[in-house]
Amino acid sequence: MLLASDLNAYASGSGSVPSAGSTYDDVTRKSAFHAADAVAELVKPVDFTSASDGTRIYTTSKRPPPFVFVSAAEAKWDFRAPVEWLEEYLVAKRAVEEKLGAMTAAGALRATILRPSLVYAFDKPASFPAVAAFVIGNAIGLPFVDRPVTAGALATAAVRAVKEEAVEGILDYVGIEELSCDASFNELFELN
């Protein structure tokens, strides 16, 4: 839900229209809080070793389970958003980031927060003017404009954040691109 109105059908990549009465607090904060609490309580990572006959032996791990949240680059802004709907969106994103940080510090989760700005795909040329504006704004050094990332890069970074135990914390577009740039399909899904 990008805009808390029917404009979302035009502004979001999915074309979704929020239900009547939906708020960013409901859709973002409450949903993410419930998901994070459920993962912390119910997901128990496993370790495995191979026996001499090649069978795998699984044991419950003491590692915290991974959790990935897609936030927004603008969540780092230290000023109020210029429009109310965007401020409400960022308040919800920041609340989730804060809770995930606390859960990670407590050892309940290994949270990775991905902070893309615009997310685009090459098969959606209608987004190219906005993408170009953000690329230029970032290139000339506007401090509140991050470079856009592709949907593929974001998805790859999310999968790798789950798989790679060293990955946690907040990743902006640079971290998203670094995490996604050298991953192959086979590596991500262990299809070797």
Side-chain angles (χ1 to χ4, degrees):
M1 186 167 84
L2 182 60
L3 301 172
S5 72
D6 290 340
L7 292 176
N8 199 66
Y10 305 105
S12 80
S14 67
S16 66
V17 177
S19 303
S22 292
T23 66
Y24 289 114
D25 189 64
D26 291 335
V27 173
T28 300
R29 187 190 64 84
K30 289 179 184 176
S31 297
F33 278 21
H34 290 308
D37 289 340
V39 167
E41 181 181 338
L42 301 173
V43 175
K44 304 299 176 210
V46 295
D47 291 321
F48 68 89
T49 55
S50 294
S52 59
D53 64 358
T55 59
R56 289 185 171 183
I57 302 168
Y58 295 91
T59 57
T60 302
S61 173
K62 296 195 184 310
R63 295 173 286 121
F67 190 89
V68 175
F69 176 67
V70 178
S71 187
E74 296 76 15
K76 70 181 175 196
W77 288 354
D78 59 0
F79 56 89
R80 188 166 176 80
V83 291
E84 190 57 33
W85 64 263
L86 181 55
E87 184 63 22
E88 291 171 6
Y89 173 79
L90 296 176
V91 164
K93 294 285 192 179
R94 290 177 188 130
V96 175
E97 288 186 9
E98 184 177 334
K99 177 173 176 117
L100 294 177
M103 291 179 80
T104 296
L109 291 174
R110 178 180 54 83
T112 303
I113 297 163
L114 303 177
R115 278 189 176 168
S117 186
L118 285 180
V119 179
Y120 69 98
F122 291 107
D123 64 343
K124 304 276 187 183
S127 67
F128 293 172
V131 170
F134 273 66
V135 168
I136 292 167
N138 178 262
I140 64 172
L142 293 178
F144 53 88
V145 178
D146 278 16
R147 191 170 64 230
V149 298
T150 64
L154 182 61
T156 301
V159 170
R160 289 193 72 184
V162 167
K163 290 185 60 133
E164 296 183 14
E165 291 184 32
V167 178
E168 70 177 52
I170 296 172
L171 299 178
D172 64 4
Y173 73 93
V174 174
I176 292 167
E177 289 175 352
E178 286 176 355
L179 200 54
S180 68
C181 71
D182 62 346
S184 70
F185 184 85
N186 288 342
E187 174 193 1
L188 290 173
F189 299 101
E190 298 179 11
L191 298 176
N192 298 334

